[in-house]
Amino acid sequence: MNAIHSPPSVQEGPAESTCSGPTSHCTSATKAAECRSSCHLNDAAFRDRARDILSSGRTVTAGAVHLIGLEDIRDHLGKRWETVKERVRDYTGRLLEKMLSPQDVWFRHGEAQFIIVFAHADIKAAQLICGKIVETLHQTLLGHSDTSQITVKTALMEIDGSIAIGSARLDDLLHRAAGQPERQADRTDPTAQPRTAQPTAQPAAQPQAEERRRPSLAGFALDNGEPSLQPKVLFRPVYDVKNKVISTYTCRPDLHTCRHINQITLDDVLQEEAIFDYDMETLCHAISTYNELYKNKFRYAQTIPVHFETLASARRRREYLQSCRMIPNYLIPFLAFEFEGLPQGIPNGRLAEMVTMLRPFGRAAIVILREYTTDIAVYANAGVKGVGLSMDFRDGDQRCIDKINAFCPAPRKHGLFAYLDGVRNVEQFQAAIEAGAAYIGGAVVGKDSDVPEHMRRCTERQMLMRARVKARRKSA
């Protein structure tokens, strides 16, 4: 796909808000309010640019040029648009590179618009693709999207050489793609001629199902200051055995989230979606929290869990990586990703691909296990830096200690560090130290908290003494 840079006069100049053209829906008095919100896309500059493209002799499928805009995002950000607009444009460019074919051509038009010329898609298919691109931008940058407000402009050359501009809403495009008739009042086919509206009975409006909002990183990446969804994620302190310090935190779900995910067993798809929602919430919450603390000169190492189900699905992986791209560069050296739920016998190439996908967004990838596996050599070959084992709270002390002793030597044998999560008491902590664990997390180290705490230095002996004091207080 080719990204073409238009001349500065076209690319940077202010859009002229004219509402002319035989097919524009602005000609109807009943659409006046909608015209005010969308006519800035139907401007003279777009008409002139479309005429240049359509009359240049270039092969343009069905003789159409399409325009999408970021005005809704700009209006949502208000004054903050000036400080983040370049980041939004860059992200839009990367999304266009991913979603369009190599033969399609696009370039920026005006301050917050993009012109797209498709090599093969017909008008309706091209409009649908453009609409979905804008919907993805809204979903990723704002955390939600309203398909009834997303509009795509299309320019056609008439037989007499004039340029007709029409528009289509994403709602109608989706109805049409599903084989459902669109509402006559909203029909904006670029090839349709304007006609006098006839008084007809209008069907009762159908209530739309409330769209589920995805957590969005735009709350801090775009600095829009809006409250984000409150994710049910807690921070668990981790003890660094080598450096004798608690300066690492990993994200864990609260009890309610754990129960919710574990109870969805009747439908695998529903459970995978619940896991995906948790991964998105965790990523958003961890980064937005760290971003705030970073501004206050607070530094720590942060581990972010991501499940196999999220990375194995093309749709979920795409949305997750889109959010990862919003992580500020200054936080990346402090982040590590923790793979959860890897199936036994995962091919080396599959895991290596996942590690490579997340490598630009963190300093390391580790794996957390529920049970010991013989796949640790595969993890090492795929580029994983460490392997962790999560203790089962239903196991007794001796069972946990046996697991610790059996597990810890295996990662070290392959050059990886061993990590233990869910260590509950003094006996398990001492067994972990003796078995050679590099990192230890769990109740014996500290409680899960809403935010990370300041770094604490303490030796193993001090940790054990503190754990014994806590145990005595509980038994008293």
Side-chain angles (χ1 to χ4, degrees):
M1 189 217 346
N2 302 308
I4 297 179
H5 298 284
S6 54
S9 59
V10 176
Q11 189 177 28
E12 301 296 345
E16 185 179 337
S17 297
T18 60
C19 291
S20 58
T23 64
S24 173
H25 65 284
C26 299
T27 58
S28 172
T30 60
K31 297 297 180 182
E34 293 162 6
C35 171
R36 284 193 296 270
S37 65
S38 62
C39 66
H40 53 271
L41 294 178
N42 190 5
D43 54 64
F46 175 46
R47 187 185 302 277
D48 294 341
R49 198 73 176 102
R51 180 181 289 108
D52 292 342
I53 295 172
L54 292 170
S55 61
S56 65
R58 173 190 174 89
T59 301
V60 178
T61 300
V65 179
H66 304 273
L67 178 73
I68 62 175
L70 308 179
E71 286 80 7
D72 288 340
I73 296 174
R74 181 183 64 187
D75 295 344
H76 182 84
L77 296 176
K79 296 179 180 179
R80 293 174 292 275
W81 167 259
E82 290 300 321
T83 60
V84 301
K85 62 183 179 182
E86 288 303 326
R87 294 172 65 182
V88 174
R89 290 168 180 167
D90 290 344
Y91 176 74
T92 304
R94 292 197 301 268
L95 183 63
L96 289 168
E97 291 284 353
K98 179 174 291 188
M99 296 188 69
L100 300 180
S101 75
Q103 290 76 37
D104 300 331
V105 174
W106 64 269
F107 54 88
R108 215 175 82 205
H109 170 71
E111 184 186 56
Q113 300 164 359
F114 290 80
I115 288 178
I116 304 174
V117 182
F118 289 85
H120 304 295
D122 60 23
I123 292 178
K124 293 181 179 179
Q127 287 177 327
L128 184 60
I129 293 172
C130 290
K132 294 301 290 182
I133 289 172
V134 180
E135 182 185 26
T136 301
L137 286 169
H138 283 213
Q139 191 72 61
T140 302
L141 297 176
L142 303 181
H144 63 90
S145 62
D146 183 356
T147 57
S148 66
Q149 298 300 316
I150 294 176
T151 302
V152 178
K153 292 290 180 180
T154 301
L156 287 174
M157 179 174 285
E158 302 285 20
I159 296 176
D160 61 1
S162 63
I163 299 297
I165 296 181
S167 66
R169 290 186 185 83
L170 181 56
D171 260 0
D172 291 331
L173 295 171
L174 293 174
H175 275 285
R176 196 159 54 198
Q180 302 176 17
E182 64 177 317
R183 299 181 299 275
Q184 185 67 27
D186 292 340
R187 191 183 299 269
T188 55
D189 191 338
T191 61
Q193 296 298 323
R195 55 185 178 183
T196 304
Q198 301 294 329
T200 57
Q202 297 297 327
Q206 297 294 326
Q208 293 183 343
E210 182 179 354
E211 182 183 357
R212 180 177 59 179
R213 294 172 62 94
R214 287 257 187 250
S216 169
L217 293 184
F220 77 91
L222 300 183
D223 195 24
N224 59 18
E226 291 196 354
S228 59
L229 296 177
Q230 181 60 42
K232 300 173 182 177
V233 178
L234 299 173
F235 293 91
R236 177 169 298 178
V238 177
Y239 180 62
D240 183 340
V241 176
K242 178 180 178 182
N243 295 306
K244 309 293 187 288
V245 65
I246 300 175
S247 61
T248 300
Y249 284 83
T250 186
C251 292
R252 289 292 179 261
D254 69 347
L255 188 59
H256 176 77
T257 304
C258 270
R259 287 173 177 170
H260 174 67
I261 294 175
N262 293 333
Q263 286 172 356
I264 306 176
T265 57
L266 297 179
D267 191 324
D268 290 340
V269 175
L270 289 179
Q271 188 174 54
E272 290 175 2
E273 281 298 312
I275 290 172
F276 176 52
D277 286 341
Y278 165 66
D279 283 348
M280 292 294 288
E281 288 177 352
T282 304
L283 177 65
C284 174
H285 188 53
I287 300 303
S288 59
T289 299
Y290 204 148
N291 189 67
E292 185 66 28
L293 294 175
Y294 188 92
K295 294 176 181 178
N296 294 323
K297 311 299 182 183
F298 189 4
R299 306 290 187 267
Y300 56 96
Q302 177 67 67
T303 299
I304 302 174
V306 56
H307 287 75
F308 174 79
E309 291 85 352
T310 295
L311 298 178
S313 163
R315 175 185 62 82
R316 300 184 194 112
R317 179 174 64 245
R318 181 170 58 249
E319 187 170 338
Y320 190 82
L321 293 178
Q322 284 172 356
S323 290
C324 285
R325 293 187 183 97
M326 302 301 292
I327 298 174
N329 290 334
Y330 52 79
L331 293 185
I332 290 177
F334 301 96
L335 305 180
F337 287 91
E338 184 181 66
F339 294 122
E340 290 200 28
L342 292 183
Q344 288 195 4
I346 183 172
N348 178 77
R350 186 90 184 273
L351 181 57
E353 180 185 16
M354 293 179 178
V355 173
T356 302
M357 283 189 299
L358 293 175
R359 184 168 292 149
F361 313 115
R363 58 184 174 82
I366 63 178
V367 174
I368 186 75
L369 304 172
R370 301 294 173 182
E371 294 291 341
Y372 176 76
T373 178
T374 58
D375 292 339
I376 293 179
V378 175
Y379 303 157
N381 292 332
V384 170
K385 299 301 182 183
V387 183
L389 180 66
S390 182
M391 299 289 101
D392 192 328
F393 69 92
R394 294 166 296 187
D395 290 336
D397 281 346
Q398 190 55 50
R399 170 66 174 155
C400 287
I401 291 172
D402 291 342
K403 283 185 176 181
I404 291 170
N405 291 331
F407 166 75
C408 286
R412 291 188 287 112
K413 178 181 177 182
H414 296 281
L416 309 177
F417 65 78
Y419 160 52
L420 293 170
D421 185 50
V423 175
R424 302 188 300 272
N425 54 42
V426 174
E427 291 74 17
Q428 293 177 20
F429 183 84
Q430 194 159 6
I433 296 293
E434 294 173 356
Y439 296 92
I440 303 172
V444 71
V445 177
K447 294 181 179 180
D448 297 354
S449 58
D450 292 331
V451 293
E453 298 177 358
H454 285 285
M455 180 181 67
R456 300 200 314 268
R457 293 193 176 276
C458 48
T459 64
E460 292 97 330
R461 182 177 179 181
Q462 290 171 329
M463 288 289 297
L464 289 171
M465 290 176 61
R466 185 179 301 155
R468 291 191 180 101
V469 169
K470 290 181 181 178
R472 284 196 297 268
R473 287 176 179 172
K474 286 183 180 180
S475 61

